[in-house]
Amino acid sequence: DAGITQSPRYKITETGRQVTLMCHQTWSHSYMFWYRQDLGHGLRLIYYSAAADITDKGEVPDGYVVSRSKTENFPLTLESATRSQTSVYFCASSGVGPDQPQHFGDGTRLSIL
Amino acid sequence: GQNIDQPTEMTATEGAIVQINCTYQTSGFNGLFWYQQHAGEAPTFLSYNVLDGLEEKGRFSSFLSRSKGYSYLLLKELQMKDSASYLCAYNTNAGKSTFGDGTTLTVKP
């Protein structure tokens, strides 16, 4: 089915470990985004991508790395996890044009101990 | 979120009407979105406004005033299932959105 999927849905890891969150969309959307959402807060943009091999920093990029070798995939890596990165992570995609809404994955709930 | 403001919480009664306000400040404005997010779930798209005025979509309507940097989401005939967080977000020329912190709406019987 067409859509946007994130994996894993839940992840517990320890400080200092590397962890990669996966995001896959089947719409061939040009834009993809990674957000984090902390309790009681809105969505803060970590990184976004306008097309394959084009990525740009958002509001809170420190400690994160992204890549986009294929249009449909946009993995997010925490190179050395810290407790402050405990959060819910949402991936989203959208078509080209200012009126195109973002479509969100179900989120990854990441806990760093 | 920066440069975008909405109330943190609102409470309303089933069957009533509620208005959720959003104010923003930005250059390069390219439209304003409203999303609904139920607890523990992903945000879903509700509405988009780029021109001034009211857009109606069933029980939900959204209004925009670009000169005032102001929008509101109007929910009519409230139902219990409308209890959720409502996020406003403005779009920029770069194709990305900046989100407010969301308004948590509680609908009571």
Side-chain angles (χ1 to χ4, degrees):
Chain A
D1 288 342
I4 182 165
T5 54
Q6 293 184 233
S7 62
R9 290 295 311 278
Y10 303 90
K11 177 75 176 179
I12 300 174
T13 191
E14 297 176 339
T15 56
R17 299 232 182 201
Q18 182 181 83
V19 59
T20 297
L21 309 184
M22 305 301 291
C23 181
H24 176 79
Q25 54 103 356
T26 59
W27 289 300
S28 299
H29 281 164
S30 291
Y31 281 92
M32 294 189 75
F33 308 86
W34 274 107
Y35 295 93
R36 61 178 289 174
Q37 186 174 42
D38 301 300
L39 195 64
H41 288 86
L43 297 160
R44 290 187 290 171
L45 183 65
I46 303 170
Y47 271 95
Y48 69 106
S49 169
D53 296 322
I54 300 174
T55 61
D56 210 345
K57 294 179 180 179
E59 184 186 349
V60 289
D62 293 343
Y64 303 95
V65 175
V66 293
S67 62
R68 194 158 176 215
S69 57
K70 292 184 178 181
T71 299
E72 60 266 31
N73 296 324
F74 192 38
L76 176 75
T77 297
L78 289 67
E79 293 190 301
S80 178
T82 65
R83 288 188 180 143
S84 64
Q85 293 177 309
T86 292
S87 189
V88 179
Y89 290 84
F90 286 102
C91 178
S93 70
S94 74
V96 176
D99 62 336
Q100 296 300 300
Q102 294 186 23
H103 302 269
F104 289 82
D106 288 336
T108 294
R109 282 144 186 84
L110 178 64
S111 294
I112 300 164
L113 306 178
Chain B
Q2 56 192 12
N3 303 324
I4 185 165
D5 195 36
Q6 48 182 133
T8 303
E9 295 179 333
M10 297 184 72
T11 303
T13 304
E14 192 175 15
I17 299 172
V18 70
Q19 178 176 311
I20 302 174
N21 296 325
C22 173
T23 57
Y24 63 90
Q25 284 184 315
T26 184
S27 57
F29 177 79
N30 227 343
L32 190 126
F33 290 90
W34 283 95
Y35 291 84
Q36 181 189 58
Q37 185 178 24
H38 285 103
E41 298 183 7
T44 55
F45 167 72
L46 284 178
S47 68
Y48 172 74
N49 294 69
V50 67
L51 300 177
D52 290 352
L54 189 68
E55 294 275 346
E56 296 187 72
K57 198 186 285 187
R59 293 189 301 114
F60 292 8
S61 302
S62 56
F63 171 84
L64 177 67
S65 169
R66 289 172 296 172
S67 62
K68 295 182 180 179
Y70 168 68
S71 174
Y72 67 73
L73 181 69
L74 193 71
L75 291 76
K76 302 175 186 175
E77 300 169 17
L78 280 172
Q79 302 176 8
M80 299 299 290
K81 67 178 182 180
D82 297 330
S83 291
S85 187
Y86 292 86
L87 308 172
C88 67
Y90 63 77
N91 237 22
T92 69
N93 293 331
K96 57 180 182 173
S97 295
T98 297
F99 284 81
D101 285 344
T103 298
T104 300
L105 174 67
T106 302
V107 180
K108 295 187 174 180

